Each structure stands twice: as C-alpha cells, then as structure tokens.
Amino acid sequence: MSVSTAAADRSLLAPLPVLGRDVTVPLVTGGEVTYAALDYAASAPALQRVWDDVAAYAPYYGSVHRGAGYLSQLSTDLFENARRTVAEFLGCRPSDQVVFTRSTTDSLNLLAGALPAGCRVFVFETEHHASLLPWRNAHVTYLDAPGSPAQAVETLERALADRDPHGPALVCVTGASNVTGELWPVRELAAAAHAHGARVVLDAAQLAPHHPVSVTDLDVDWIAFSGHKLYAPFGAGVLAGRADWLREAEPYLAGGGASRRVARRADGGVDVEWHDTAARHEAGSPNVIGAYAIASACKALTEAGFDTLVAREQHLIGKVRQGLAAVPEVKVLSLFGDEAPRVGVLSFVVAGWNSSHFAAALSAEYGIGVRDGLFCAHPLVRTLLGSDPQTQGECGAPEAAPGEKSLNAVRVSFGAGTPDEHVERFVRAVRELVRDGAKWDYRTEDGRCVPAV
Ligand SMILES: Cc1ncc(COP(=O)(O)O)c(C=O)c1O
C-alpha cells in the first residue's frame, strides 16, 4: 500500500477526532493519565463527526416507515438514505440489498437462516465465533488453519472440489483476523469459490474500519460488518449483498415492518405476504440512530480518505512492531508470518506472564485499555499458542492466577483516532513491565485479574 510521501507525512500528524480523547483515568500508583483506548478491535470510539451528526438529528428523531407526521417522514428519509450511503460505501451492485441488523453476529445469523435447502458451508477454523458458529444447522466443513494466504486458497479449492458442484454452497471468510490483524486473501478465495459454483460472504468486521471494502472489487456475494467497530457505536450492523437468497428466505424476525399484508383466513388462521425488499428482515421499529450513525461514519472515513488512514495506521503498526521486537520476552502471534500485511490489531504473549495479569497492569499502572483472553476465536488462539483445548476458559475469561504460565494472549488494537502517544506509551509500558515487573499486587476476582487494593 504505497502513498506519496507528502500525503503520508501530512496524514501522520492527525488522528481523526474521536469521543473520549481527553478522558483521564486514575492510576493505581497515584495520579491520572489520559486514557489510551487500544481495544479498537472490540469497539472503536465514536468519531466526533458521528456524534455531532447524531446529536444534530436527535431532536428530529421519529418513527420510521410508520408515521404520517413530518418527523416520521424525515426519519424514514434519513433511514433510507443511510441505506444508500452504505450501499455506496460498500460498492454494492444495483440489485443488492442492504439490511440493517444489530451487528456482524446478527448479520451472519440472518444469512445462516436464509441458506437454501441443502446448502453446504465452508469456513476456516480460524474465524471469529460470529463467523464460525451461525451455520450449525447447515452441513458445515471446517477447514484447517492455513500457514499462508496461498495455502488458504489451496485448502478451500480442495474442499470445494470434493462437493457436489450442483448444490448450493457458501464460503464464509474473514477480511482481517481479529486475533492477528492479518489480511486474508479475500479476492482469491472469492474467485476460487465462484469457480466452484459457491457463494461468498465476507466478515468485514475488522477490515471495513481500516481498508476500503467493496462488494464489486472483491467480487463477494455478501459483506457483514458492525457499526461499533466502524466508529459508530449505536447498536447497528449491516448485511449487504445478493437479494435472491434473502428474498426467498423466511423473515429473520416475524412482525410489523416485514409484512406487506396480513389477513385472517376463513379457517381462522392468518395469511401473510412478506416484503421482498430489505424490510423483510427488519421487522419491528428499526434502529434509525444506529443506521444514521453508520452512514455518517461511512462518509467520514471516505472523506478522510483510506489512503491517508492506511498510511497513518501503518505508521502506528510500525511503531508497535518495532517496540515489541525489541523485547525478546514478547512473542507476537501470527499465522502468515511476520511480514504479512495486517491492520492495527496485534496479539502477543509475554514469557513468564499471565496475559490477564499483564493487561491488568497496563490498565492500572499506565491507563492503557487492551484486551486479554481468547478473543472469541478459541480454535485460532489455541492453534497459535499450541495450547490444550481442555484448559481454556470462556471467551475473555482467564483461568490462570497472576504469575502463572499464560494460556491466553494480550491484544492491542488501534485505528483512525489513535494518537502516536498512545502506542508510544504502550511500547514503553511493555518494556518497563517486562524489565521491572508490576509495581502493584494483583489478585483474581470473578475470573479477572485486578489490582489487589
Ligand atoms: C472478525 C470478527 N467478526 C465478527 C465479530 C462480531 O462482531 P459483533 O460482536 O459486532 O457482532 C467480531 C467481533 O469482534 C470480529 O472481530
């Protein structure tokens, strides 16, 4: 990803303004410090622009698709415009549908309920649970973790070649790993899937906040992402793509909004005619603020320019990687190797440290918010750590006491709103903790490591 030096230099100066950038938090060792939010992969802070747009709209808030009043009309317009903005952001085909959901998890569960009869599903074991688990009722093939992008394509091709080429099939792929941050060969996987008559859904939860994601450029059939990772934390997500499977499926939820006509039958039952637009899967009053916030974020990121955002993020990734490489006790987790292109998400373990202990010390002693655990991708993290499935706790719940051998990892993640100081403080904190140890005592409480006092 090359950008002109001038553009890169300019871009490095300015993170996008986000909410919470001036929030201070207490340190267990005394004093306060500006909070360094380095857990963007879980939820990114709202862009100031998104918040301002939402605040400006809030007094005009009204019901969507169900009111004669001015504000209802306005809210309906904003909701439908948001759909168009998202379609544009994702480079959708004219016939595609954009369905507003609650999240990526919701989007993929919706699609899982819309699979045609007999559909085979192919998914790598390395996926986030949101991509791994919704297909339980279909015939799923879980593919082994590949050691390189090329191997991922070969593995998929082999698996697809073994299936009945006439039956429907879906491949679910991630754009960027929520554990390693590594980019997956989406275009190549999609081409392989299509060559074997299968369709593709892209889990873009971690990719869309960092890179341009286009249905047409990547030639995928659907894209799913979450607003709260795209700087729009107002409870909405998106499933966008081919209309046919969605139109033929049972509505995701049954209720008002999804139904065009409902009538009692002579035999006492009820006849329902469902919408065949996106509304079919959006029963109930929609989350207009969430949809509006996503549209605002799409516009803000497009206006900031992904070239600029990528250049800045690569600069931050470089700082973190260089900083961690200077600490031999730190091992960064990677499936595709150190040089693999990635987004601003890195997981690591520190020799001699329990990851929960390490993350607790980063928070309590340095005001840095990261995540520790298995990141809702248990099979992948176990593969990377070479650990035993039986010894792992639930998502995010560490099972070892402070000081014991790590069975989990620490994840640091950042993006468009991250100032250099946050990653610099993180690198310094890692160095100091490894060199000097924690300054405070910690204990385990409800499965989490917390300062002892
Ligand atoms: C790659 C990936 N897919 C899906 C999800 C699920 O997103 P959500 O919790 O917003 O449904 C996540 C969340 O971390 C993720 O990282």
Side-chain angles (χ1 to χ4, degrees), residues 41-42 102-108 127-131 174-179 203-207 225-229 371 375-376 411:
R102 289 179 299 175
S103 61
T104 308
T105 306
D106 205 31
S107 298
L108 294 172
E127 294 283 347
H128 186 281
H129 295 172
S131 295
T174 196
S177 166
N178 71 308
V179 176
D203 172 351
Q206 298 296 348
L207 186 63
F225 74 84
S226 301
H228 70 106
K229 297 185 198 292
R371 183 169 168 189
F375 318 126
C376 299
R411 181 180 74 187

PDB file of all heavy atoms in Angstrom, residues 41-42 102-108 127-131 174-179 203-207 225-229 371 375-376 411, ligand 1:
ATOM      1  N   ALA A  41     -10.386  -3.161  18.259  1.00  0.00           N
ATOM      2  CA  ALA A  41     -10.923  -4.356  17.610  1.00  0.00           C
ATOM      3  C   ALA A  41     -12.178  -4.850  18.315  1.00  0.00           C
ATOM      4  O   ALA A  41     -13.022  -5.520  17.717  1.00  0.00           O
ATOM      5  CB  ALA A  41      -9.871  -5.460  17.588  1.00  0.00           C
ATOM      6  N   ALA A  42     -12.309  -4.516  19.611  1.00  0.00           N
ATOM      7  CA  ALA A  42     -13.538  -4.880  20.327  1.00  0.00           C
ATOM      8  C   ALA A  42     -14.609  -3.847  19.986  1.00  0.00           C
ATOM      9  O   ALA A  42     -15.652  -4.178  19.421  1.00  0.00           O
ATOM     10  CB  ALA A  42     -13.277  -4.930  21.824  1.00  0.00           C
ATOM     11  N   ARG A 102     -28.231  -5.771  13.904  1.00  0.00           N
ATOM     12  CA  ARG A 102     -27.662  -5.240  15.155  1.00  0.00           C
ATOM     13  C   ARG A 102     -26.141  -5.252  15.130  1.00  0.00           C
ATOM     14  O   ARG A 102     -25.502  -4.488  15.826  1.00  0.00           O
ATOM     15  CB  ARG A 102     -28.133  -6.101  16.339  1.00  0.00           C
ATOM     16  CG  ARG A 102     -29.605  -5.914  16.666  1.00  0.00           C
ATOM     17  CD  ARG A 102     -30.001  -6.801  17.803  1.00  0.00           C
ATOM     18  NE  ARG A 102     -29.802  -8.213  17.469  1.00  0.00           N
ATOM     19  CZ  ARG A 102     -29.979  -9.213  18.303  1.00  0.00           C
ATOM     20  NH1 ARG A 102     -30.334  -8.979  19.539  1.00  0.00           N
ATOM     21  NH2 ARG A 102     -29.791 -10.461  17.912  1.00  0.00           N
ATOM     22  N   SER A 103     -25.543  -6.153  14.330  1.00  0.00           N
ATOM     23  CA  SER A 103     -24.093  -6.354  14.410  1.00  0.00           C
ATOM     24  C   SER A 103     -23.670  -7.354  13.342  1.00  0.00           C
ATOM     25  O   SER A 103     -24.520  -7.921  12.645  1.00  0.00           O
ATOM     26  CB  SER A 103     -23.732  -6.933  15.778  1.00  0.00           C
ATOM     27  OG  SER A 103     -24.393  -8.186  15.927  1.00  0.00           O
ATOM     28  N   THR A 104     -22.377  -7.625  13.258  1.00  0.00           N
ATOM     29  CA  THR A 104     -21.878  -8.674  12.350  1.00  0.00           C
ATOM     30  C   THR A 104     -22.471 -10.026  12.744  1.00  0.00           C
ATOM     31  O   THR A 104     -22.881 -10.810  11.883  1.00  0.00           O
ATOM     32  CB  THR A 104     -20.339  -8.751  12.432  1.00  0.00           C
ATOM     33  OG1 THR A 104     -19.804  -7.443  12.238  1.00  0.00           O
ATOM     34  CG2 THR A 104     -19.778  -9.686  11.388  1.00  0.00           C
ATOM     35  N   THR A 105     -22.490 -10.301  14.032  1.00  0.00           N
ATOM     36  CA  THR A 105     -23.049 -11.572  14.507  1.00  0.00           C
ATOM     37  C   THR A 105     -24.476 -11.725  14.014  1.00  0.00           C
ATOM     38  O   THR A 105     -24.883 -12.779  13.505  1.00  0.00           O
ATOM     39  CB  THR A 105     -23.030 -11.612  16.062  1.00  0.00           C
ATOM     40  OG1 THR A 105     -21.702 -11.357  16.514  1.00  0.00           O
ATOM     41  CG2 THR A 105     -23.506 -12.939  16.595  1.00  0.00           C
ATOM     42  N   ASP A 106     -25.246 -10.667  14.169  1.00  0.00           N
ATOM     43  CA  ASP A 106     -26.642 -10.688  13.750  1.00  0.00           C
ATOM     44  C   ASP A 106     -26.733 -10.891  12.232  1.00  0.00           C
ATOM     45  O   ASP A 106     -27.554 -11.673  11.745  1.00  0.00           O
ATOM     46  CB  ASP A 106     -27.262  -9.336  14.139  1.00  0.00           C
ATOM     47  CG  ASP A 106     -28.764  -9.416  14.331  1.00  0.00           C
ATOM     48  OD1 ASP A 106     -29.268 -10.485  14.738  1.00  0.00           O
ATOM     49  OD2 ASP A 106     -29.440  -8.410  14.053  1.00  0.00           O
ATOM     50  N   SER A 107     -25.885 -10.199  11.489  1.00  0.00           N
ATOM     51  CA  SER A 107     -25.914 -10.287  10.023  1.00  0.00           C
ATOM     52  C   SER A 107     -25.645 -11.714   9.567  1.00  0.00           C
ATOM     53  O   SER A 107     -26.318 -12.233   8.670  1.00  0.00           O
ATOM     54  CB  SER A 107     -24.840  -9.376   9.414  1.00  0.00           C
ATOM     55  OG  SER A 107     -25.084  -8.035   9.755  1.00  0.00           O
ATOM     56  N   LEU A 108     -24.629 -12.350  10.186  1.00  0.00           N
ATOM     57  CA  LEU A 108     -24.261 -13.691   9.735  1.00  0.00           C
ATOM     58  C   LEU A 108     -25.317 -14.715  10.167  1.00  0.00           C
ATOM     59  O   LEU A 108     -25.595 -15.671   9.440  1.00  0.00           O
ATOM     60  CB  LEU A 108     -22.866 -14.055  10.254  1.00  0.00           C
ATOM     61  CG  LEU A 108     -21.764 -13.169   9.635  1.00  0.00           C
ATOM     62  CD1 LEU A 108     -20.417 -13.422  10.307  1.00  0.00           C
ATOM     63  CD2 LEU A 108     -21.634 -13.412   8.125  1.00  0.00           C
ATOM     64  N   GLU A 127     -11.782 -18.599  12.145  1.00  0.00           N
ATOM     65  CA  GLU A 127     -12.713 -17.475  12.173  1.00  0.00           C
ATOM     66  C   GLU A 127     -13.112 -17.078  13.597  1.00  0.00           C
ATOM     67  O   GLU A 127     -13.095 -17.903  14.522  1.00  0.00           O
ATOM     68  CB  GLU A 127     -13.988 -17.845  11.408  1.00  0.00           C
ATOM     69  CG  GLU A 127     -13.781 -18.052   9.925  1.00  0.00           C
ATOM     70  CD  GLU A 127     -13.641 -16.739   9.171  1.00  0.00           C
ATOM     71  OE1 GLU A 127     -13.933 -15.678   9.737  1.00  0.00           O
ATOM     72  OE2 GLU A 127     -13.224 -16.790   8.010  1.00  0.00           O
ATOM     73  N   HIS A 128     -13.539 -15.848  13.724  1.00  0.00           N
ATOM     74  CA  HIS A 128     -14.223 -15.390  14.939  1.00  0.00           C
ATOM     75  C   HIS A 128     -15.490 -16.249  15.111  1.00  0.00           C
ATOM     76  O   HIS A 128     -16.085 -16.687  14.122  1.00  0.00           O
ATOM     77  CB  HIS A 128     -14.599 -13.915  14.731  1.00  0.00           C
ATOM     78  CG  HIS A 128     -15.183 -13.259  15.928  1.00  0.00           C
ATOM     79  ND1 HIS A 128     -16.492 -13.428  16.314  1.00  0.00           N
ATOM     80  CD2 HIS A 128     -14.640 -12.405  16.833  1.00  0.00           C
ATOM     81  CE1 HIS A 128     -16.727 -12.713  17.395  1.00  0.00           C
ATOM     82  NE2 HIS A 128     -15.617 -12.085  17.737  1.00  0.00           N
ATOM     83  N   HIS A 129     -15.895 -16.450  16.351  1.00  0.00           N
ATOM     84  CA  HIS A 129     -17.060 -17.316  16.588  1.00  0.00           C
ATOM     85  C   HIS A 129     -18.307 -16.826  15.837  1.00  0.00           C
ATOM     86  O   HIS A 129     -19.179 -17.617  15.497  1.00  0.00           O
ATOM     87  CB  HIS A 129     -17.366 -17.390  18.081  1.00  0.00           C
ATOM     88  CG  HIS A 129     -16.265 -18.056  18.857  1.00  0.00           C
ATOM     89  ND1 HIS A 129     -16.237 -18.104  20.227  1.00  0.00           N
ATOM     90  CD2 HIS A 129     -15.142 -18.697  18.441  1.00  0.00           C
ATOM     91  CE1 HIS A 129     -15.144 -18.741  20.625  1.00  0.00           C
ATOM     92  NE2 HIS A 129     -14.461 -19.104  19.560  1.00  0.00           N
ATOM     93  N   ALA A 130     -18.377 -15.520  15.573  1.00  0.00           N
ATOM     94  CA  ALA A 130     -19.544 -14.981  14.857  1.00  0.00           C
ATOM     95  C   ALA A 130     -19.620 -15.536  13.439  1.00  0.00           C
ATOM     96  O   ALA A 130     -20.704 -15.621  12.855  1.00  0.00           O
ATOM     97  CB  ALA A 130     -19.465 -13.456  14.793  1.00  0.00           C
ATOM     98  N   SER A 131     -18.459 -15.902  12.868  1.00  0.00           N
ATOM     99  CA  SER A 131     -18.430 -16.485  11.523  1.00  0.00           C
ATOM    100  C   SER A 131     -18.411 -18.004  11.577  1.00  0.00           C
ATOM    101  O   SER A 131     -18.791 -18.665  10.626  1.00  0.00           O
ATOM    102  CB  SER A 131     -17.172 -16.040  10.777  1.00  0.00           C
ATOM    103  OG  SER A 131     -17.200 -14.677  10.551  1.00  0.00           O
ATOM    104  N   THR A 174     -13.051 -14.264   6.498  1.00  0.00           N
ATOM    105  CA  THR A 174     -12.816 -13.017   7.213  1.00  0.00           C
ATOM    106  C   THR A 174     -11.887 -12.125   6.383  1.00  0.00           C
ATOM    107  O   THR A 174     -11.057 -12.617   5.629  1.00  0.00           O
ATOM    108  CB  THR A 174     -12.186 -13.312   8.589  1.00  0.00           C
ATOM    109  OG1 THR A 174     -12.312 -12.139   9.385  1.00  0.00           O
ATOM    110  CG2 THR A 174     -10.723 -13.665   8.501  1.00  0.00           C
ATOM    111  N   GLY A 175     -12.068 -10.810   6.512  1.00  0.00           N
ATOM    112  CA  GLY A 175     -11.208  -9.894   5.775  1.00  0.00           C
ATOM    113  C   GLY A 175      -9.892  -9.671   6.496  1.00  0.00           C
ATOM    114  O   GLY A 175      -8.820  -9.681   5.897  1.00  0.00           O
ATOM    115  N   ALA A 176      -9.979  -9.462   7.806  1.00  0.00           N
ATOM    116  CA  ALA A 176      -8.788  -9.276   8.639  1.00  0.00           C
ATOM    117  C   ALA A 176      -9.057  -9.991   9.961  1.00  0.00           C
ATOM    118  O   ALA A 176     -10.147  -9.859  10.526  1.00  0.00           O
ATOM    119  CB  ALA A 176      -8.526  -7.789   8.884  1.00  0.00           C
ATOM    120  N   SER A 177      -8.061 -10.720  10.423  1.00  0.00           N
ATOM    121  CA  SER A 177      -8.248 -11.509  11.647  1.00  0.00           C
ATOM    122  C   SER A 177      -8.364 -10.608  12.863  1.00  0.00           C
ATOM    123  O   SER A 177      -7.580  -9.673  13.026  1.00  0.00           O
ATOM    124  CB  SER A 177      -7.070 -12.459  11.827  1.00  0.00           C
ATOM    125  OG  SER A 177      -7.073 -12.973  13.145  1.00  0.00           O
ATOM    126  N   ASN A 178      -9.301 -10.933  13.742  1.00  0.00           N
ATOM    127  CA  ASN A 178      -9.436 -10.145  14.973  1.00  0.00           C
ATOM    128  C   ASN A 178      -8.383 -10.545  15.998  1.00  0.00           C
ATOM    129  O   ASN A 178      -8.294  -9.940  17.062  1.00  0.00           O
ATOM    130  CB  ASN A 178     -10.835 -10.321  15.589  1.00  0.00           C
ATOM    131  CG  ASN A 178     -11.043 -11.693  16.179  1.00  0.00           C
ATOM    132  OD1 ASN A 178     -10.808 -12.697  15.515  1.00  0.00           O
ATOM    133  ND2 ASN A 178     -11.442 -11.763  17.431  1.00  0.00           N
ATOM    134  N   VAL A 179      -7.577 -11.570  15.682  1.00  0.00           N
ATOM    135  CA  VAL A 179      -6.525 -12.005  16.612  1.00  0.00           C
ATOM    136  C   VAL A 179      -5.160 -11.508  16.137  1.00  0.00           C
ATOM    137  O   VAL A 179      -4.431 -10.857  16.876  1.00  0.00           O
ATOM    138  CB  VAL A 179      -6.510 -13.549  16.745  1.00  0.00           C
ATOM    139  CG1 VAL A 179      -5.356 -14.003  17.633  1.00  0.00           C
ATOM    140  CG2 VAL A 179      -7.840 -14.032  17.300  1.00  0.00           C
ATOM    141  N   ASP A 203     -16.784 -11.542   6.177  1.00  0.00           N
ATOM    142  CA  ASP A 203     -16.883 -10.946   7.510  1.00  0.00           C
ATOM    143  C   ASP A 203     -15.886  -9.785   7.539  1.00  0.00           C
ATOM    144  O   ASP A 203     -14.683  -9.989   7.669  1.00  0.00           O
ATOM    145  CB  ASP A 203     -16.543 -12.009   8.563  1.00  0.00           C
ATOM    146  CG  ASP A 203     -16.435 -11.420   9.966  1.00  0.00           C
ATOM    147  OD1 ASP A 203     -16.451 -10.184  10.096  1.00  0.00           O
ATOM    148  OD2 ASP A 203     -16.320 -12.206  10.926  1.00  0.00           O
ATOM    149  N   ALA A 204     -16.437  -8.585   7.382  1.00  0.00           N
ATOM    150  CA  ALA A 204     -15.572  -7.400   7.280  1.00  0.00           C
ATOM    151  C   ALA A 204     -15.521  -6.616   8.586  1.00  0.00           C
ATOM    152  O   ALA A 204     -15.143  -5.442   8.594  1.00  0.00           O
ATOM    153  CB  ALA A 204     -16.050  -6.504   6.143  1.00  0.00           C
ATOM    154  N   ALA A 205     -15.875  -7.288   9.703  1.00  0.00           N
ATOM    155  CA  ALA A 205     -15.923  -6.581  10.991  1.00  0.00           C
ATOM    156  C   ALA A 205     -14.602  -5.877  11.287  1.00  0.00           C
ATOM    157  O   ALA A 205     -14.583  -4.740  11.766  1.00  0.00           O
ATOM    158  CB  ALA A 205     -16.274  -7.557  12.109  1.00  0.00           C
ATOM    159  N   GLN A 206     -13.469  -6.561  10.988  1.00  0.00           N
ATOM    160  CA  GLN A 206     -12.173  -5.955  11.299  1.00  0.00           C
ATOM    161  C   GLN A 206     -11.534  -5.289  10.084  1.00  0.00           C
ATOM    162  O   GLN A 206     -10.558  -4.568  10.230  1.00  0.00           O
ATOM    163  CB  GLN A 206     -11.198  -7.022  11.844  1.00  0.00           C
ATOM    164  CG  GLN A 206     -11.644  -7.684  13.139  1.00  0.00           C
ATOM    165  CD  GLN A 206     -11.729  -6.720  14.319  1.00  0.00           C
ATOM    166  OE1 GLN A 206     -11.249  -5.581  14.278  1.00  0.00           O
ATOM    167  NE2 GLN A 206     -12.361  -7.157  15.395  1.00  0.00           N
ATOM    168  N   LEU A 207     -12.064  -5.548   8.905  1.00  0.00           N
ATOM    169  CA  LEU A 207     -11.447  -4.971   7.711  1.00  0.00           C
ATOM    170  C   LEU A 207     -12.033  -3.596   7.386  1.00  0.00           C
ATOM    171  O   LEU A 207     -11.293  -2.653   7.083  1.00  0.00           O
ATOM    172  CB  LEU A 207     -11.640  -5.923   6.517  1.00  0.00           C
ATOM    173  CG  LEU A 207     -10.929  -5.511   5.229  1.00  0.00           C
ATOM    174  CD1 LEU A 207      -9.407  -5.498   5.426  1.00  0.00           C
ATOM    175  CD2 LEU A 207     -11.287  -6.466   4.087  1.00  0.00           C
ATOM    176  N   PHE A 225     -20.724  -6.268   8.508  1.00  0.00           N
ATOM    177  CA  PHE A 225     -19.861  -5.522   9.434  1.00  0.00           C
ATOM    178  C   PHE A 225     -20.690  -4.908  10.550  1.00  0.00           C
ATOM    179  O   PHE A 225     -21.920  -4.920  10.509  1.00  0.00           O
ATOM    180  CB  PHE A 225     -19.005  -4.473   8.690  1.00  0.00           C
ATOM    181  CG  PHE A 225     -19.750  -3.248   8.211  1.00  0.00           C
ATOM    182  CD1 PHE A 225     -19.974  -2.175   9.058  1.00  0.00           C
ATOM    183  CD2 PHE A 225     -20.209  -3.173   6.902  1.00  0.00           C
ATOM    184  CE1 PHE A 225     -20.659  -1.044   8.611  1.00  0.00           C
ATOM    185  CE2 PHE A 225     -20.890  -2.043   6.448  1.00  0.00           C
ATOM    186  CZ  PHE A 225     -21.115  -0.980   7.315  1.00  0.00           C
ATOM    187  N   SER A 226     -19.980  -4.378  11.552  1.00  0.00           N
ATOM    188  CA  SER A 226     -20.638  -3.803  12.747  1.00  0.00           C
ATOM    189  C   SER A 226     -20.350  -2.314  12.847  1.00  0.00           C
ATOM    190  O   SER A 226     -19.190  -1.900  12.689  1.00  0.00           O
ATOM    191  CB  SER A 226     -20.087  -4.444  14.030  1.00  0.00           C
ATOM    192  OG  SER A 226     -20.269  -5.823  14.037  1.00  0.00           O
ATOM    193  N   GLY A 227     -21.353  -1.529  13.200  1.00  0.00           N
ATOM    194  CA  GLY A 227     -21.152  -0.098  13.379  1.00  0.00           C
ATOM    195  C   GLY A 227     -20.179   0.230  14.502  1.00  0.00           C
ATOM    196  O   GLY A 227     -19.373   1.153  14.387  1.00  0.00           O
ATOM    197  N   HIS A 228     -20.229  -0.558  15.589  1.00  0.00           N
ATOM    198  CA  HIS A 228     -19.421  -0.169  16.760  1.00  0.00           C
ATOM    199  C   HIS A 228     -17.922  -0.374  16.547  1.00  0.00           C
ATOM    200  O   HIS A 228     -17.116   0.123  17.333  1.00  0.00           O
ATOM    201  CB  HIS A 228     -19.890  -0.904  18.026  1.00  0.00           C
ATOM    202  CG  HIS A 228     -19.587  -2.367  18.023  1.00  0.00           C
ATOM    203  ND1 HIS A 228     -18.601  -2.914  18.794  1.00  0.00           N
ATOM    204  CD2 HIS A 228     -20.141  -3.391  17.349  1.00  0.00           C
ATOM    205  CE1 HIS A 228     -18.566  -4.218  18.598  1.00  0.00           C
ATOM    206  NE2 HIS A 228     -19.499  -4.532  17.716  1.00  0.00           N
ATOM    207  N   LYS A 229     -17.554  -1.121  15.502  1.00  0.00           N
ATOM    208  CA  LYS A 229     -16.117  -1.220  15.181  1.00  0.00           C
ATOM    209  C   LYS A 229     -15.734  -0.190  14.122  1.00  0.00           C
ATOM    210  O   LYS A 229     -14.564   0.017  13.840  1.00  0.00           O
ATOM    211  CB  LYS A 229     -15.783  -2.630  14.689  1.00  0.00           C
ATOM    212  CG  LYS A 229     -16.031  -3.712  15.750  1.00  0.00           C
ATOM    213  CD  LYS A 229     -15.585  -5.050  15.259  1.00  0.00           C
ATOM    214  CE  LYS A 229     -16.174  -6.202  16.041  1.00  0.00           C
ATOM    215  NZ  LYS A 229     -15.718  -6.321  17.418  1.00  0.00           N
ATOM    216  N   ARG A 371      -7.144  -5.790  25.452  1.00  0.00           N
ATOM    217  CA  ARG A 371      -7.967  -6.943  25.791  1.00  0.00           C
ATOM    218  C   ARG A 371      -7.060  -8.147  26.002  1.00  0.00           C
ATOM    219  O   ARG A 371      -6.017  -8.272  25.356  1.00  0.00           O
ATOM    220  CB  ARG A 371      -8.956  -7.227  24.659  1.00  0.00           C
ATOM    221  CG  ARG A 371      -9.882  -8.375  24.983  1.00  0.00           C
ATOM    222  CD  ARG A 371     -11.026  -8.503  24.013  1.00  0.00           C
ATOM    223  NE  ARG A 371     -11.685  -9.788  24.224  1.00  0.00           N
ATOM    224  CZ  ARG A 371     -12.604 -10.290  23.441  1.00  0.00           C
ATOM    225  NH1 ARG A 371     -13.015  -9.624  22.394  1.00  0.00           N
ATOM    226  NH2 ARG A 371     -13.154 -11.471  23.700  1.00  0.00           N
ATOM    227  N   PHE A 375     -10.347 -13.987  22.668  1.00  0.00           N
ATOM    228  CA  PHE A 375     -10.888 -13.084  21.641  1.00  0.00           C
ATOM    229  C   PHE A 375     -12.011 -13.698  20.806  1.00  0.00           C
ATOM    230  O   PHE A 375     -12.147 -13.397  19.609  1.00  0.00           O
ATOM    231  CB  PHE A 375      -9.758 -12.577  20.716  1.00  0.00           C
ATOM    232  CG  PHE A 375      -8.506 -12.216  21.472  1.00  0.00           C
ATOM    233  CD1 PHE A 375      -7.285 -12.769  21.129  1.00  0.00           C
ATOM    234  CD2 PHE A 375      -8.556 -11.356  22.561  1.00  0.00           C
ATOM    235  CE1 PHE A 375      -6.131 -12.465  21.845  1.00  0.00           C
ATOM    236  CE2 PHE A 375      -7.415 -11.040  23.276  1.00  0.00           C
ATOM    237  CZ  PHE A 375      -6.206 -11.603  22.918  1.00  0.00           C
ATOM    238  N   CYS A 376     -12.815 -14.559  21.421  1.00  0.00           N
ATOM    239  CA  CYS A 376     -13.942 -15.184  20.693  1.00  0.00           C
ATOM    240  C   CYS A 376     -13.468 -15.859  19.409  1.00  0.00           C
ATOM    241  O   CYS A 376     -14.193 -15.883  18.402  1.00  0.00           O
ATOM    242  CB  CYS A 376     -15.055 -14.183  20.405  1.00  0.00           C
ATOM    243  SG  CYS A 376     -15.765 -13.490  21.884  1.00  0.00           S
ATOM    244  N   ARG A 411      -4.168  -8.538  23.480  1.00  0.00           N
ATOM    245  CA  ARG A 411      -4.362  -7.952  22.150  1.00  0.00           C
ATOM    246  C   ARG A 411      -4.363  -6.432  22.249  1.00  0.00           C
ATOM    247  O   ARG A 411      -5.058  -5.860  23.082  1.00  0.00           O
ATOM    248  CB  ARG A 411      -5.704  -8.414  21.564  1.00  0.00           C
ATOM    249  CG  ARG A 411      -5.945  -7.838  20.162  1.00  0.00           C
ATOM    250  CD  ARG A 411      -7.271  -8.298  19.582  1.00  0.00           C
ATOM    251  NE  ARG A 411      -8.386  -7.624  20.226  1.00  0.00           N
ATOM    252  CZ  ARG A 411      -9.660  -7.925  20.027  1.00  0.00           C
ATOM    253  NH1 ARG A 411      -9.976  -8.930  19.212  1.00  0.00           N
ATOM    254  NH2 ARG A 411     -10.618  -7.268  20.641  1.00  0.00           N
TER     255      ARG A 411
HETATM  256  C1  LIG B   1     -13.744 -10.742  12.742  1.00  0.00           C
HETATM  257  C2  LIG B   1     -14.966 -10.528  13.582  1.00  0.00           C
HETATM  258  N1  LIG B   1     -16.142 -10.969  13.137  1.00  0.00           N
HETATM  259  C3  LIG B   1     -17.271 -10.784  13.826  1.00  0.00           C
HETATM  260  C4  LIG B   1     -17.273 -10.147  15.034  1.00  0.00           C
HETATM  261  C5  LIG B   1     -18.546  -9.977  15.781  1.00  0.00           C
HETATM  262  O1  LIG B   1     -18.882  -8.638  15.815  1.00  0.00           O
HETATM  263  P1  LIG B   1     -20.097  -8.173  16.713  1.00  0.00           P
HETATM  264  O2  LIG B   1     -19.726  -8.512  18.124  1.00  0.00           O
HETATM  265  O3  LIG B   1     -20.190  -6.721  16.481  1.00  0.00           O
HETATM  266  O4  LIG B   1     -21.276  -8.920  16.252  1.00  0.00           O
HETATM  267  C6  LIG B   1     -16.076  -9.673  15.551  1.00  0.00           C
HETATM  268  C7  LIG B   1     -16.030  -9.012  16.869  1.00  0.00           C
HETATM  269  O5  LIG B   1     -15.014  -8.862  17.485  1.00  0.00           O
HETATM  270  C8  LIG B   1     -14.892  -9.851  14.796  1.00  0.00           C
HETATM  271  O6  LIG B   1     -13.716  -9.400  15.234  1.00  0.00           O
END
